[in-house]
Amino acid sequence: HVQSTELAFAAILADGSVVAWGHREYGGDCAAVQDQLVGVKHIQGSAYAFAAILESGRVVTWGHPGYGGDSSSVQALLSDVTHPVTHVQASERAFAAIRTDGQVVAWGHAEYGGDASRVQNQLQNVQHIAASKGAFAGIRADGKVVAWGGSGYGGDSSKVQDRLRDVTQIKASDCGFTAIV
């Protein structure tokens, strides 16, 4: 499994460890977290950072802090073994993770979806997340959609919220989302 940022690559090796290369500040150097990158099952890249999901469901990040490479503010939520992370999605400058309890954890640049506090109370039983360049949209188990991030990237669905019911899929473009019912 190989993922990329705009200036670096990261690969999961057969033993579950990770090797990264490319521009050091933009994800090409994972030395600071190398000892934590054990049992990696998935890697996701933003423009300049990586997030890795370990077999334990814990998430490890590295790369440019302004692009999600620093998850220290939410690390307790990303390391909860009671509710491990199952999926991570990336916008250009942020990440969003789904935990087994259906809660969503977001970090990175606030205007690119790294701050979900405006809709956090609605992010319950989330089953899937899609990402545009600067926003996220999540489908809940009840088929409702919750969006956050930059409004110019689809992060504000308030004008169509009443029609976002019984959604089965979300597709993203650079600047918005399409919901399929």
Side-chain angles (χ1 to χ4, degrees), residues 141-158:
D142 63 5
K144 294 180 182 176
V145 173
V146 180
W148 71 97
S151 59
Y153 297 109
D156 180 2
S157 58
S158 60

Side-chain angles (χ1 to χ4, degrees), residues 131-135 152-154 172-176:
S132 69
K133 187 174 181 178
Y153 297 109
S173 68
D174 278 350
C175 296

